[in-house]
Amino acid sequence: MKPIKLEMQAFGAFAEHTVIDFKKLNEAKMFLIRGATGSGKTTIFDAMMFALYGASSGEDTNKVGRNNFKEWKCTKSDKDVETFVIFEFEVGGRTYRFKRSLSIKRTSLSLGYEGGEIVNGVLKNFFDKTSATQLTAKAEEIIGLTKDQFRQVVLLPQGQFETFLTSSTKEKENILTSIFNCGIYDKYAERMYDNAAAVVRSLSEEKKTADDLLGNETDSEGNAITDPAALCSYIDELKDKMKKIEDEHKAFDADAKQKKLKSDIELASQFKHLHELEAKASVLKKSEDDIKTDRQTLAAANKAEPFRELMDAASKTQRELNKRTKDYEKFGDLIPKAQEELDKAKDAFDKVSVSSRVEDNNKRIGLLQDKRQVYEQIDSLKAELDKASAIYSKADADLKTAKRKSEESTEIVKVKNDALTQANSKAEQYRRKYLEGICGELAGDLTEDKPCPVCGSLHHPSPAAKLEASVSKEEMEEAEAFANECRVAFDKALSAKEKADAEADAKQSAVNASLEQLNAAKANHAAASGNLIEGVDDIRSLEDQIKMLTDDNKAFEAKVKELSDELGKRQEEVTTLIAKKGEAAAELKVAREASDAAKAALDNAVSASDFADSDEVSLALKSSDLLQELAQKIAAYETAVKENLEGITKSKSELEGKTEPDKTLFDSRQEEITSENERYNKNRSVIDREITRLSELNKTVSKTFEHYFACINQAKEDLAFAKLVRGDTGIGLKRYILAIKFDQIIASANEMLEAVHGGRYRLVRSDDKGEGNKKGLEFKVHDNEARQDGLRSVRMLSGGEKFLVSLALSIGMSSIAKRSGAKIESLFVDEGFGTLDKDSVFDAIQILETVKSDSGTIGIISHVEMLTGFIPAMLEVKSTPKGSYIV
């Protein structure tokens, strides 16, 4: 990461818009930031950190409010001036711009976030709407370091130089992994393991699938079949069983037995036909007398046939006489009934004719029609009255609702005002106590030999006393935040009350206007109501009465017409019946004469024949259908007798010398044949399906078993190697490479330490175990002047020694990282030189000069005057009552 430009406004000590252009400083390779205590030197690093990570350059612990962006708003700038930090930097040849801001919106402070890449001078934002979390994550992605890792590798904060030197194995591993992109080796090892494990798992699953397929298979004795060889053996056993079944079925010879049974069934059918013919002959013999009687009946009918026309004529004229007699008697019954209906119709017509109300109805209709215009006007006035009444009711309801809301909002404002008063009082009390006790809080965190965060001194002979009743910064901030929330709630409630009051006033005006309209509508309606007809309230009632009277007239006229038509109909009916009765009397006389003549002709013909009388002739006569039926019956009988005799003769001839088979055995014989065929087909089908199924199964499992045993050993060897690369049983690939990089960093640092104190100290990689029982990333320092074992813990170094070793280590790490293509192109050091004597300062300068050309940009904050002679490129921070600025 190489800095390009930093912009600040209303941030920390810098009230005005301040721009730092790092281009010339980058060319100088090393620059110094100077200024009086409290002028804002460290604020430059804080601005860079806030832009990237939303936090200050110092560690989070014991730094009350340092990581709260709102706390960094400059107290010397105007209240409405926007607070912001903008940092442009370069990583891998690409330029990025990050911004975090703080602006006033209404009564509260609002945080803003922007970030993007600058391409051809144009900023392309990462997100449409950026959050703090997204912007921080993007910084970690681009730079490759988290906030805490950045503080250990790129920016060495005041009083925290030794953080990486004394960090845990796990922390060093995370930092080095991120810097040298060694996470790819974990991914590679994990991918290798996943691939190898997938092969073993796939083979095992294939084997398990094959085992599962064989899992339920057993041989004829119930023994489990566990491999293809046993399966093949069982298939051969089933084939032998199949051959035995086929041999047994062949010996039974079911086809020959079925053929013989069929022949016997056909012979039995022939004997059955003979028996049926003999039985029919017996039946025909019994019908012989009936046929003789039928012949006699047919002969008598033929003798009586000449008399049929005379018999039909007599019968026909008699039927006509009976019909005419019945018709004449019918008219004698209908005429009195018709006369009675005629009298009723005449009475009904006379009764209706004398009760007409048409004239009265017409007078009423005329009166109603004259008032139609008056009623049309009253209906319009009534509609206006209803509309005005509805408008007034709604306006009155809205007014009540608005008044209720106004009263409720007034009560809410009172409650919110009380809460705001209490919260402001509490916040002011906490702020006063906090300011009184903050010196004691800071003094309570001081440790001997560690720099004071205010003056940088390592010794603290007279620290300020901590007040017992003091309030912490968190408690004060919580009280102020709550007071601000109460202020926002009060303003919101007050605004809502003003809106509710305005709404109530508007609703009252609406009620007054609608009431005036309602009263006017009532007066107009009352004036028009005096001209109405009593009992008729509106135009609808008027029209209904007119229609009712008109319909009543039409109904009366229709009724009169209906009764008149009925009277005419009944009169015509009586006249018609009297005329028809006369016609029926004449027809009855003609029919009686015709009947007498037909009877005389029949009696004369019968007396000249062999028949005793006409009744005997009538008994002998038969219908043509019956005569035809008798003739056919006699002919069919004679034919049946002839054919039956011929059939019996033929059947006896065909069956001569043959014995009738026992048909009672047919079913048992057929059942024996069918059972054998079913048993054979069933057993053969079951075994054949089983052989087919097991043969297919054998193909599948044989192939799987062959593949499994051919590949499993190599797959297990690959998996074991993948575990070794992943570090399951020792040092993995990533850890091995990190150890190499660690040695390179130590070697680079030791080259620089040769210029410190005459080469007294040298860093050594320790085999001490760290977190997770891992080793290889721990430091020890070797003292070349020690008389005994010169190795000791780096924590035993003095403050100045730790700074020099940490400086060499950080620069060494930056150099190795840059050679490896990592993104570290800058190093920033905040103070630390104040803990060194003159010779040590010279040694530190020698370290920086040695690597200046190989470590990108190095920025240093320091009060040490002799540094100005070695570092010509410089930023000087000046402090004024109106805020700091850079020279």
Side-chain angles (χ1 to χ4, degrees):
M1 188 277 294
K2 179 187 293 185
I4 302 297
K5 183 170 66 175
L6 177 67
E7 295 183 52
M8 301 175 286
Q9 179 175 287
F11 180 78
F14 296 91
E16 301 297 328
H17 182 203
T18 303
V19 180
I20 300 176
D21 190 344
F22 287 98
K23 292 179 181 177
K24 292 184 178 180
L25 298 176
N26 290 333
E27 293 174 0
K29 294 294 185 178
M30 189 184 304
F31 66 91
L32 180 66
I33 301 176
R34 296 190 58 191
T37 299
S39 61
K41 300 184 298 300
T42 302
T43 302
I44 296 173
F45 291 169
D46 290 324
M48 294 165 56
M49 282 293 293
F50 261 107
L52 293 172
Y53 298 103
S56 69
S57 61
E59 64 177 351
D60 296 341
T61 58
N62 299 325
K63 295 286 185 178
V64 179
R66 292 282 293 176
N67 291 324
N68 185 347
F69 192 59
K70 295 180 180 180
E71 289 295 323
W72 284 84
K73 182 171 181 61
C74 182
T75 58
K76 297 179 180 180
S77 64
D78 292 338
K79 180 180 179 181
D80 296 335
V81 173
E82 180 186 20
T83 297
F84 65 79
V85 290
I86 302 173
F87 185 40
E88 291 184 14
F89 59 95
E90 182 182 305
V91 175
R94 300 169 70 172
T95 304
Y96 301 92
R97 183 178 188 268
F98 280 53
K99 176 181 179 181
R100 297 186 194 239
S101 60
L102 185 66
S103 57
I104 299 290
K105 288 191 177 179
R106 295 183 181 176
T107 58
S108 61
L109 294 173
S110 176
L111 291 165
Y113 311 95
E114 297 177 21
E117 182 179 358
I118 299 175
V119 180
N120 297 325
V122 178
L123 178 66
K124 295 186 177 181
N125 290 321
F126 298 129
F127 312 101
D128 292 335
K129 187 176 182 181
T130 308
S131 68
T133 303
Q134 288 176 322
L135 196 60
T136 300
K138 202 67 181 176
E140 293 176 353
E141 175 190 334
I142 294 171
I143 298 174
L145 296 172
T146 66
K147 172 186 66 178
D148 292 332
Q149 292 170 353
F150 191 89
R151 288 172 178 161
Q152 297 180 45
V153 177
V154 178
L155 194 155
L156 305 183
Q158 183 176 350
Q160 302 172 38
F161 310 113
E162 74 278 8
T163 303
F164 180 76
L165 181 67
T166 59
S167 62
S168 67
T169 295
K170 184 64 176 176
E171 290 170 343
K172 292 189 186 77
E173 181 176 351
N174 291 338
I175 292 171
L176 295 175
T177 298
S178 183
I179 292 172
F180 295 106
N181 195 27
C182 289
I184 60 172
Y185 300 110
D186 269 343
K187 294 179 181 178
Y188 173 76
E190 197 64 35
R191 192 181 310 118
M192 179 187 291
Y193 174 82
D194 290 343
N195 292 340
V199 172
V200 172
R201 185 167 55 253
S202 175
L203 289 171
S204 299
E205 288 173 356
E206 287 181 12
K207 177 65 164 53
K208 184 179 183 302
T209 300
D211 290 339
D212 291 343
L213 290 173
L214 292 174
N216 296 324
E217 302 295 340
T218 57
D219 59 19
S220 56
E221 295 179 358
N223 299 320
I225 298 175
T226 58
D227 54 56
L231 185 59
C232 288
S233 177
Y234 181 49
I235 292 172
D236 292 340
E237 182 181 337
L238 290 176
K239 289 180 179 179
D240 293 340
K241 187 176 181 180
M242 172 75 83
K243 186 176 185 307
K244 180 180 179 183
I245 290 173
E246 291 176 344
D247 292 343
E248 290 175 351
H249 184 66
K250 184 176 180 181
F252 181 79
D253 200 1
D255 291 342
K257 289 183 178 181
Q258 186 68 59
K259 184 176 180 180
K260 180 64 172 67
L261 176 60
K262 182 179 178 182
S263 175
D264 287 349
I265 291 173
E266 291 175 354
L267 180 60
S269 176
Q270 290 178 313
F271 273 100
K272 180 182 178 182
H273 181 60
L274 174 60
H275 297 328
E276 289 173 349
L277 290 173
E278 291 172 342
K280 187 174 181 180
S282 176
V283 172
L284 290 172
K285 182 66 178 175
K286 291 179 181 179
S287 301
E288 189 173 357
D289 293 339
D290 294 336
I291 294 300
K292 183 178 179 181
T293 300
D294 290 339
R295 287 194 182 100
Q296 293 172 352
T297 300
L298 181 60
N302 290 332
K303 181 180 177 183
E305 187 63 27
F307 297 94
R308 182 177 293 279
E309 290 185 4
L310 293 173
M311 290 291 291
D312 290 344
S315 177
K316 181 179 179 182
T317 56
Q318 183 61 46
R319 288 195 302 274
E320 182 66 17
L321 177 61
N322 294 338
K323 180 178 181 300
R324 296 304 175 186
T325 301
K326 186 176 180 181
D327 289 344
Y328 180 77
E329 293 173 350
K330 179 183 72 172
F331 288 120
D333 295 335
L334 292 175
I335 289 173
K337 294 180 180 179
Q339 185 63 50
E340 183 180 355
E341 292 297 323
L342 174 61
D343 294 340
K344 290 180 180 179
K346 189 174 183 305
D347 291 342
F349 178 78
D350 294 341
K351 184 177 180 180
V352 170
S353 297
V354 299
S355 61
S356 174
R357 55 184 177 275
V358 173
E359 185 177 354
D360 294 338
N361 287 348
N362 287 338
K363 290 180 181 180
R364 180 70 174 174
I365 289 171
L367 175 62
L368 293 171
Q369 288 176 339
D370 290 341
K371 290 288 185 178
R372 179 177 277 126
Q373 184 175 1
V374 174
Y375 276 93
E376 288 175 349
Q377 182 184 12
I378 199 70
D379 271 10
S380 175
L381 293 174
K382 179 65 168 59
E384 292 177 1
L385 177 59
D386 293 341
K387 180 179 179 181
S389 179
I391 292 172
Y392 173 74
S393 298
K394 183 178 185 305
D396 187 56
D398 291 344
L399 175 60
K400 290 177 181 178
T401 301
K403 285 182 176 180
R404 188 184 70 255
K405 290 183 178 179
S406 177
E407 292 169 358
E408 291 174 353
S409 62
T410 300
E411 186 61 29
I412 291 173
V413 166
K414 182 178 180 302
V415 173
K416 298 297 184 182
N417 185 54
D418 292 343
L420 175 60
T421 301
Q422 294 177 6
N424 282 337
S425 176
K426 183 178 179 180
E428 180 60 30
Q429 180 182 0
Y430 273 37
R431 189 181 300 109
R432 186 174 61 255
K433 289 184 177 181
Y434 169 72
L435 294 174
E436 291 173 353
I438 191 169
C439 293
E441 291 286 341
L442 293 174
D445 293 333
L446 292 177
T447 303
E448 193 66 19
D449 292 331
K450 287 192 176 181
C452 172
V454 177
C455 66
S457 175
L458 299 176
H459 303 290
H460 322 290
S462 301
K466 183 176 180 181
L467 298 179
E468 294 183 0
S470 64
V471 173
S472 68
K473 182 64 174 292
E474 288 80 1
E475 291 174 327
M476 181 195 72
E477 289 174 345
E478 183 178 351
E480 289 179 341
F482 180 69
N484 189 48
E485 291 174 3
C486 290
R487 163 58 63 186
V488 172
F490 172 74
D491 291 344
K492 183 177 179 182
L494 186 60
S495 175
K497 179 185 181 305
E498 292 171 352
K499 183 178 179 181
D501 291 344
E503 182 71 13
D505 293 341
K507 297 300 181 184
Q508 183 63 62
S509 298
V511 166
N512 296 338
S514 62
L515 183 58
E516 290 179 4
Q517 293 176 355
L518 177 60
N519 291 333
K522 285 181 178 179
N524 293 336
H525 183 266
S529 298
N531 296 323
L532 302 182
I533 299 173
E534 184 177 357
V536 182
D537 298 330
D538 52 33
I539 187 66
R540 179 177 294 177
S541 300
L542 179 77
E543 298 295 346
D544 288 346
Q545 282 205 19
I546 292 173
K547 184 177 185 302
M548 179 185 71
L549 294 170
T550 303
D551 292 345
D552 186 57
N553 287 345
K554 291 180 181 178
F556 178 80
E557 292 170 356
K559 185 65 177 178
V560 170
K561 183 178 184 306
E562 178 187 351
L563 293 174
S564 177
D565 293 345
E566 181 67 14
L567 180 60
K569 178 182 176 183
R570 294 302 178 186
Q571 182 65 56
E572 183 180 357
E573 184 179 355
V574 170
T575 303
T576 301
L577 287 174
I578 292 172
K580 286 185 177 182
K581 183 179 180 183
E583 293 173 357
E587 291 173 353
L588 176 59
K589 180 180 177 183
V590 173
R592 185 176 287 114
E593 292 174 353
S595 178
D596 291 344
K599 284 183 179 180
L602 176 61
D603 290 341
N604 291 335
V606 171
S607 63
S609 68
D610 295 337
F611 290 102
D613 52 34
S614 60
D615 290 339
E616 185 178 352
V617 174
S618 177
L619 183 64
L621 279 173
K622 303 297 179 184
S623 68
S624 59
D625 291 341
L626 180 58
L627 291 176
Q628 183 179 0
E629 181 181 344
L630 288 173
Q632 291 174 350
K633 181 179 178 182
I634 294 169
Y637 175 78
E638 292 172 351
T639 300
V641 169
K642 179 181 177 182
E643 290 177 351
N644 179 260
L645 180 61
E646 290 175 351
I648 291 173
T649 302
K650 181 180 178 182
S651 293
K652 286 183 176 180
S653 174
E654 291 174 349
L655 295 173
E656 185 177 0
K658 296 181 181 179
T659 303
E660 185 175 3
D662 186 355
K663 61 183 180 182
T664 61
L665 300 177
F666 286 171
D667 289 342
S668 60
R669 289 168 63 188
Q670 182 62 59
E671 183 178 355
E672 179 187 13
I673 296 169
T674 301
S675 296
E676 168 58 22
N677 285 336
E678 288 179 350
R679 183 193 66 79
Y680 168 71
N681 290 330
K682 179 180 178 181
N683 292 340
R684 188 182 186 286
S685 176
V686 169
I687 295 174
D688 185 60
R689 284 199 304 271
E690 187 70 358
I691 290 174
T692 301
R693 183 183 71 82
L694 293 177
S695 297
E696 290 298 322
L697 177 61
N698 184 49
K699 291 179 182 178
T700 301
V701 298
S702 294
K703 183 178 180 180
T704 300
F705 269 68
E706 181 181 351
H707 180 254
Y708 175 79
F709 287 110
C711 301
I712 189 62
N713 290 334
Q714 182 62 50
K716 288 182 178 179
E717 290 178 5
D718 292 345
L719 180 60
F721 179 71
K723 288 181 178 180
L724 181 64
V725 171
R726 196 171 67 166
D728 289 7
T729 57
I731 297 177
L733 179 61
K734 186 190 82 171
R735 190 81 173 182
Y736 178 77
I737 292 173
L738 285 180
I740 294 174
K741 295 296 182 182
F742 198 56
D743 285 342
Q744 291 174 347
I745 292 170
I746 291 173
S748 179
N750 285 336
E751 287 181 9
M752 289 174 273
L753 288 175
E754 290 179 1
V756 176
H757 297 338
R760 178 180 176 181
Y761 295 112
R762 179 168 53 87
L763 286 173
V764 177
R765 179 158 65 92
S766 170
D767 289 333
D768 293 346
K769 292 183 179 180
E771 296 177 34
N773 204 29
K774 294 183 177 181
K775 60 182 181 178
L777 296 180
E778 292 294 331
F779 287 116
K780 279 195 176 183
V781 64
H782 186 273
D783 187 352
N784 293 328
E785 296 181 359
R787 295 183 179 180
Q788 301 178 10
D789 183 9
L791 288 177
R792 55 175 171 148
S793 171
V794 292
R795 299 178 184 275
M796 298 301 295
L797 294 171
S798 67
E801 291 171 337
K802 284 181 181 177
F803 172 75
L804 290 171
V805 172
S806 296
L807 180 62
L809 185 63
S810 296
I811 295 174
M813 182 158 50
S814 177
S815 299
I816 298 302
K818 187 174 181 181
R819 295 174 199 166
S820 301
K823 303 173 183 178
I824 299 177
E825 300 178 80
S826 303
L827 177 65
F828 302 100
V829 182
D830 188 0
E831 295 295 354
F833 289 88
T835 62
L836 306 179
D837 57 27
K838 182 177 180 181
D839 291 339
S840 296
V841 170
F842 181 78
D843 290 343
I845 295 299
Q846 289 296 107
I847 292 175
L848 295 175
E849 284 291 337
T850 302
V851 298
K852 184 168 66 173
S853 61
D854 193 38
S855 297
T857 301
I858 299 175
I860 300 170
I861 293 176
S862 181
H863 295 87
V864 178
E865 187 65 29
M866 66 181 295
L867 288 177
T868 60
F870 295 99
I871 306 175
M874 187 183 308
L875 295 176
E876 186 167 358
V877 182
K878 295 287 188 179
S879 178
T880 71
K882 293 183 179 181
S884 297
Y885 64 95
I886 295 176
V887 179

